[in-house]
Amino acid sequence: MSIILAIETSTEVASAALLSGGNMFSRESAGVHTHSETILPMVQSLLREAGATLAECDAIAFGIGPGSFTGVRTACGVVQGLAFGADLPVAPVVTLQAMAQACRELHGARDVLAVLDARMGEVYWAQYRHADNAWVTVVPPVLSTAEQVAPAGDLADVTACGNGLKMYAAAFAGRGFAGMHPEVMPSARQIAVLGSAMAANGGAVPLEQAQPLYLRNKIALTTAERFAKASA
């Protein structure tokens, strides 16, 4: 069985996981400003616990975003360094799909709307449907206001998850979702599961293709722009 190392740093919680022989090992650390300092020690701790070396891994999976600009850059940089040193392929996993996987694992959801707070009055969101033991992208990752989130199909069949539901609760209230789980967030555990499937199906790529997924070109507003947006 394959050994997959996974890293996720796109939100306030950094996590690392190692999927080996059907066993899952994981670590977490809060604080987006310390991700670059904590992720490598977590990786080293995981490898020691699993009794494995980096060279024995079959691929390194990581959350490519969307998410924190600094966070996704951190994951990309760390993964490129590790993959180069160990000559390993990488498995880039969309953060929102990892949320869908978590929602399925925790709540058995099949049709999932993942909504992640993007700050600046906006959310990152995507919709996925689980069919034939794999995820199908129904709506690819989008950046919009919470009011503009428009999942496909009958909302009574859709389970929504992610902290965007809580941050913009008024925009999602009364929509008639099958369930709402704002506590569900991306984790390296789900990145490892999805990365393992990707590697098994030939989806791993050379480290040069380990690139973040950015949906927003501008990461900050001027004071005038913030006032204008608030007034609108």
Side-chain angles (χ1 to χ4, degrees), residues 76-106:
C76 182
V78 168
V79 167
Q80 286 181 331
L82 292 174
F84 178 79
D87 192 24
L88 295 174
V90 298
V93 178
V94 176
T95 305
L96 298 169
Q97 188 174 348
M99 293 170 64
Q101 177 67 25
C103 196
R104 179 165 179 79
E105 292 176 4
L106 293 169

mmCIF file of all heavy atoms in Angstrom, residues 76-106:
data_model
loop_
_atom_site.group_PDB
_atom_site.id
_atom_site.type_symbol
_atom_site.label_atom_id
_atom_site.label_comp_id
_atom_site.label_asym_id
_atom_site.label_seq_id
_atom_site.Cartn_x
_atom_site.Cartn_y
_atom_site.Cartn_z
ATOM 1 N N CYS A 76 2.910 25.314 -0.698
ATOM 2 C CA CYS A 76 3.552 25.090 -1.990
ATOM 3 C C CYS A 76 5.071 25.078 -1.853
ATOM 4 O O CYS A 76 5.756 24.191 -2.376
ATOM 5 C CB CYS A 76 3.120 26.168 -2.969
ATOM 6 S SG CYS A 76 3.808 25.965 -4.624
ATOM 7 N N GLY A 77 5.603 26.053 -1.114
ATOM 8 C CA GLY A 77 7.054 26.133 -0.940
ATOM 9 C C GLY A 77 7.619 24.943 -0.191
ATOM 10 O O GLY A 77 8.655 24.379 -0.574
ATOM 11 N N VAL A 78 6.938 24.547 0.887
ATOM 12 C CA VAL A 78 7.405 23.410 1.685
ATOM 13 C C VAL A 78 7.364 22.124 0.858
ATOM 14 O O VAL A 78 8.317 21.328 0.860
ATOM 15 C CB VAL A 78 6.549 23.255 2.960
ATOM 16 C CG1 VAL A 78 6.837 21.926 3.645
ATOM 17 C CG2 VAL A 78 6.823 24.404 3.917
ATOM 18 N N VAL A 79 6.267 21.917 0.142
ATOM 19 C CA VAL A 79 6.117 20.700 -0.658
ATOM 20 C C VAL A 79 7.156 20.643 -1.774
ATOM 21 O O VAL A 79 7.740 19.589 -2.046
ATOM 22 C CB VAL A 79 4.691 20.605 -1.233
ATOM 23 C CG1 VAL A 79 4.607 19.539 -2.312
ATOM 24 C CG2 VAL A 79 3.708 20.295 -0.119
ATOM 25 N N GLN A 80 7.402 21.768 -2.433
ATOM 26 C CA GLN A 80 8.405 21.777 -3.489
ATOM 27 C C GLN A 80 9.781 21.418 -2.941
ATOM 28 O O GLN A 80 10.530 20.671 -3.575
ATOM 29 C CB GLN A 80 8.432 23.140 -4.175
ATOM 30 C CG GLN A 80 7.249 23.386 -5.094
ATOM 31 C CD GLN A 80 7.300 24.732 -5.773
ATOM 32 O OE1 GLN A 80 7.859 25.685 -5.229
ATOM 33 N NE2 GLN A 80 6.712 24.846 -6.947
ATOM 34 N N GLY A 81 10.104 21.946 -1.761
ATOM 35 C CA GLY A 81 11.392 21.629 -1.151
ATOM 36 C C GLY A 81 11.513 20.165 -0.775
ATOM 37 O O GLY A 81 12.526 19.516 -1.060
ATOM 38 N N LEU A 82 10.472 19.615 -0.147
ATOM 39 C CA LEU A 82 10.493 18.213 0.260
ATOM 40 C C LEU A 82 10.520 17.293 -0.963
ATOM 41 O O LEU A 82 11.272 16.311 -0.995
ATOM 42 C CB LEU A 82 9.267 17.898 1.116
ATOM 43 C CG LEU A 82 9.205 18.553 2.505
ATOM 44 C CD1 LEU A 82 7.850 18.258 3.150
ATOM 45 C CD2 LEU A 82 10.332 18.061 3.396
ATOM 46 N N ALA A 83 9.704 17.615 -1.954
ATOM 47 C CA ALA A 83 9.629 16.767 -3.144
ATOM 48 C C ALA A 83 10.934 16.785 -3.923
ATOM 49 O O ALA A 83 11.375 15.759 -4.459
ATOM 50 C CB ALA A 83 8.477 17.216 -4.036
ATOM 51 N N PHE A 84 11.582 17.944 -3.987
ATOM 52 C CA PHE A 84 12.858 18.042 -4.698
ATOM 53 C C PHE A 84 13.925 17.217 -3.994
ATOM 54 O O PHE A 84 14.666 16.466 -4.630
ATOM 55 C CB PHE A 84 13.297 19.502 -4.783
ATOM 56 C CG PHE A 84 14.621 19.687 -5.468
ATOM 57 C CD1 PHE A 84 14.710 19.661 -6.853
ATOM 58 C CD2 PHE A 84 15.785 19.871 -4.732
ATOM 59 C CE1 PHE A 84 15.934 19.815 -7.491
ATOM 60 C CE2 PHE A 84 17.013 20.021 -5.363
ATOM 61 C CZ PHE A 84 17.086 20.003 -6.745
ATOM 62 N N GLY A 85 13.989 17.344 -2.664
ATOM 63 C CA GLY A 85 15.007 16.625 -1.909
ATOM 64 C C GLY A 85 14.848 15.120 -1.957
ATOM 65 O O GLY A 85 15.837 14.376 -1.955
ATOM 66 N N ALA A 86 13.597 14.643 -2.021
ATOM 67 C CA ALA A 86 13.338 13.200 -2.006
ATOM 68 C C ALA A 86 12.959 12.654 -3.375
ATOM 69 O O ALA A 86 12.692 11.463 -3.507
ATOM 70 C CB ALA A 86 12.230 12.883 -1.003
ATOM 71 N N ASP A 87 12.948 13.530 -4.389
ATOM 72 C CA ASP A 87 12.593 13.131 -5.754
ATOM 73 C C ASP A 87 11.229 12.444 -5.793
ATOM 74 O O ASP A 87 11.084 11.326 -6.284
ATOM 75 C CB ASP A 87 13.667 12.203 -6.333
ATOM 76 C CG ASP A 87 13.494 11.982 -7.849
ATOM 77 O OD1 ASP A 87 12.875 12.847 -8.492
ATOM 78 O OD2 ASP A 87 13.947 10.943 -8.352
ATOM 79 N N LEU A 88 10.224 13.150 -5.270
ATOM 80 C CA LEU A 88 8.877 12.594 -5.187
ATOM 81 C C LEU A 88 7.896 13.398 -6.034
ATOM 82 O O LEU A 88 8.050 14.617 -6.176
ATOM 83 C CB LEU A 88 8.384 12.601 -3.732
ATOM 84 C CG LEU A 88 9.125 11.715 -2.736
ATOM 85 C CD1 LEU A 88 8.600 11.975 -1.334
ATOM 86 C CD2 LEU A 88 8.952 10.252 -3.108
ATOM 87 N N PRO A 89 6.866 12.756 -6.558
ATOM 88 C CA PRO A 89 5.794 13.494 -7.234
ATOM 89 C C PRO A 89 4.889 14.143 -6.194
ATOM 90 O O PRO A 89 4.936 13.794 -5.001
ATOM 91 C CB PRO A 89 5.052 12.408 -8.014
ATOM 92 C CG PRO A 89 5.250 11.176 -7.185
ATOM 93 C CD PRO A 89 6.633 11.299 -6.601
ATOM 94 N N VAL A 90 4.048 15.076 -6.645
ATOM 95 C CA VAL A 90 3.136 15.763 -5.726
ATOM 96 C C VAL A 90 1.700 15.579 -6.203
ATOM 97 O O VAL A 90 1.436 15.378 -7.391
ATOM 98 C CB VAL A 90 3.475 17.259 -5.610
ATOM 99 C CG1 VAL A 90 4.871 17.449 -5.055
ATOM 100 C CG2 VAL A 90 3.340 17.958 -6.951
ATOM 101 N N ALA A 91 0.782 15.632 -5.252
ATOM 102 C CA ALA A 91 -0.645 15.499 -5.547
ATOM 103 C C ALA A 91 -1.348 16.772 -5.078
ATOM 104 O O ALA A 91 -1.602 16.925 -3.881
ATOM 105 C CB ALA A 91 -1.230 14.272 -4.859
ATOM 106 N N PRO A 92 -1.630 17.707 -5.983
ATOM 107 C CA PRO A 92 -2.293 18.963 -5.602
ATOM 108 C C PRO A 92 -3.792 18.762 -5.418
ATOM 109 O O PRO A 92 -4.478 18.318 -6.335
ATOM 110 C CB PRO A 92 -1.997 19.888 -6.783
ATOM 111 C CG PRO A 92 -1.773 18.965 -7.945
ATOM 112 C CD PRO A 92 -1.271 17.669 -7.412
ATOM 113 N N VAL A 93 -4.295 19.090 -4.229
ATOM 114 C CA VAL A 93 -5.706 18.873 -3.893
ATOM 115 C C VAL A 93 -6.367 20.218 -3.590
ATOM 116 O O VAL A 93 -5.845 21.017 -2.813
ATOM 117 C CB VAL A 93 -5.847 17.949 -2.660
ATOM 118 C CG1 VAL A 93 -7.313 17.774 -2.278
ATOM 119 C CG2 VAL A 93 -5.198 16.595 -2.941
ATOM 120 N N VAL A 94 -7.505 20.463 -4.196
ATOM 121 C CA VAL A 94 -8.247 21.703 -3.953
ATOM 122 C C VAL A 94 -8.794 21.686 -2.521
ATOM 123 O O VAL A 94 -9.419 20.707 -2.091
ATOM 124 C CB VAL A 94 -9.396 21.869 -4.964
ATOM 125 C CG1 VAL A 94 -10.228 23.113 -4.649
ATOM 126 C CG2 VAL A 94 -8.841 21.949 -6.381
ATOM 127 N N THR A 95 -8.554 22.750 -1.798
ATOM 128 C CA THR A 95 -8.970 22.849 -0.397
ATOM 129 C C THR A 95 -10.462 22.601 -0.212
ATOM 130 O O THR A 95 -10.885 21.924 0.730
ATOM 131 C CB THR A 95 -8.619 24.252 0.141
ATOM 132 O OG1 THR A 95 -7.235 24.496 -0.056
ATOM 133 C CG2 THR A 95 -8.945 24.361 1.618
ATOM 134 N N LEU A 96 -11.276 23.138 -1.101
ATOM 135 C CA LEU A 96 -12.722 22.995 -0.987
ATOM 136 C C LEU A 96 -13.157 21.541 -1.169
ATOM 137 O O LEU A 96 -14.128 21.093 -0.555
ATOM 138 C CB LEU A 96 -13.420 23.900 -1.997
ATOM 139 C CG LEU A 96 -13.165 25.408 -1.807
ATOM 140 C CD1 LEU A 96 -13.669 26.194 -3.005
ATOM 141 C CD2 LEU A 96 -13.806 25.910 -0.526
ATOM 142 N N GLN A 97 -12.449 20.797 -1.996
ATOM 143 C CA GLN A 97 -12.777 19.385 -2.157
ATOM 144 C C GLN A 97 -12.415 18.607 -0.898
ATOM 145 O O GLN A 97 -13.108 17.655 -0.520
ATOM 146 C CB GLN A 97 -12.053 18.784 -3.361
ATOM 147 C CG GLN A 97 -12.503 17.365 -3.675
ATOM 148 C CD GLN A 97 -11.892 16.806 -4.943
ATOM 149 O OE1 GLN A 97 -11.288 17.540 -5.727
ATOM 150 N NE2 GLN A 97 -12.042 15.514 -5.139
ATOM 151 N N ALA A 98 -11.338 19.013 -0.230
ATOM 152 C CA ALA A 98 -10.985 18.391 1.050
ATOM 153 C C ALA A 98 -12.084 18.630 2.077
ATOM 154 O O ALA A 98 -12.382 17.760 2.910
ATOM 155 C CB ALA A 98 -9.653 18.938 1.552
ATOM 156 N N MET A 99 -12.723 19.803 2.031
ATOM 157 C CA MET A 99 -13.845 20.081 2.922
ATOM 158 C C MET A 99 -15.021 19.167 2.602
ATOM 159 O O MET A 99 -15.703 18.664 3.501
ATOM 160 C CB MET A 99 -14.260 21.550 2.806
ATOM 161 C CG MET A 99 -13.207 22.526 3.322
ATOM 162 S SD MET A 99 -13.589 24.250 2.913
ATOM 163 C CE MET A 99 -15.098 24.504 3.828
ATOM 164 N N ALA A 100 -15.268 18.945 1.308
ATOM 165 C CA ALA A 100 -16.350 18.038 0.914
ATOM 166 C C ALA A 100 -16.074 16.630 1.422
ATOM 167 O O ALA A 100 -16.980 15.938 1.897
ATOM 168 C CB ALA A 100 -16.502 18.045 -0.602
ATOM 169 N N GLN A 101 -14.814 16.216 1.331
ATOM 170 C CA GLN A 101 -14.441 14.888 1.822
ATOM 171 C C GLN A 101 -14.664 14.786 3.324
ATOM 172 O O GLN A 101 -15.182 13.773 3.824
ATOM 173 C CB GLN A 101 -12.968 14.616 1.485
ATOM 174 C CG GLN A 101 -12.419 13.297 2.010
ATOM 175 C CD GLN A 101 -13.032 12.078 1.354
ATOM 176 O OE1 GLN A 101 -13.517 12.166 0.225
ATOM 177 N NE2 GLN A 101 -12.998 10.942 2.025
ATOM 178 N N ALA A 102 -14.311 15.835 4.057
ATOM 179 C CA ALA A 102 -14.526 15.849 5.506
ATOM 180 C C ALA A 102 -16.009 15.790 5.832
ATOM 181 O O ALA A 102 -16.431 15.097 6.767
ATOM 182 C CB ALA A 102 -13.899 17.108 6.114
ATOM 183 N N CYS A 103 -16.808 16.507 5.057
ATOM 184 C CA CYS A 103 -18.256 16.515 5.284
ATOM 185 C C CYS A 103 -18.855 15.134 5.029
ATOM 186 O O CYS A 103 -19.774 14.700 5.732
ATOM 187 C CB CYS A 103 -18.900 17.563 4.375
ATOM 188 S SG CYS A 103 -20.579 18.020 4.856
ATOM 189 N N ARG A 104 -18.319 14.433 4.056
ATOM 190 C CA ARG A 104 -18.799 13.083 3.785
ATOM 191 C C ARG A 104 -18.389 12.124 4.904
ATOM 192 O O ARG A 104 -19.178 11.292 5.356
ATOM 193 C CB ARG A 104 -18.267 12.585 2.440
ATOM 194 C CG ARG A 104 -18.721 11.163 2.114
ATOM 195 C CD ARG A 104 -18.507 10.807 0.668
ATOM 196 N NE ARG A 104 -18.925 9.419 0.405
ATOM 197 C CZ ARG A 104 -20.173 9.026 0.246
ATOM 198 N NH1 ARG A 104 -21.148 9.899 0.328
ATOM 199 N NH2 ARG A 104 -20.460 7.760 0.007
ATOM 200 N N GLU A 105 -17.142 12.235 5.352
ATOM 201 C CA GLU A 105 -16.654 11.360 6.412
ATOM 202 C C GLU A 105 -17.425 11.570 7.715
ATOM 203 O O GLU A 105 -17.729 10.608 8.431
ATOM 204 C CB GLU A 105 -15.168 11.605 6.650
ATOM 205 C CG GLU A 105 -14.273 11.159 5.496
ATOM 206 C CD GLU A 105 -12.819 11.503 5.725
ATOM 207 O OE1 GLU A 105 -12.499 12.029 6.825
ATOM 208 O OE2 GLU A 105 -11.994 11.255 4.816
ATOM 209 N N LEU A 106 -17.734 12.823 8.022
ATOM 210 C CA LEU A 106 -18.384 13.141 9.296
ATOM 211 C C LEU A 106 -19.894 13.001 9.259
ATOM 212 O O LEU A 106 -20.520 12.627 10.261
ATOM 213 C CB LEU A 106 -18.021 14.574 9.712
ATOM 214 C CG LEU A 106 -16.556 14.820 10.068
ATOM 215 C CD1 LEU A 106 -16.282 16.311 10.198
ATOM 216 C CD2 LEU A 106 -16.197 14.105 11.370
#
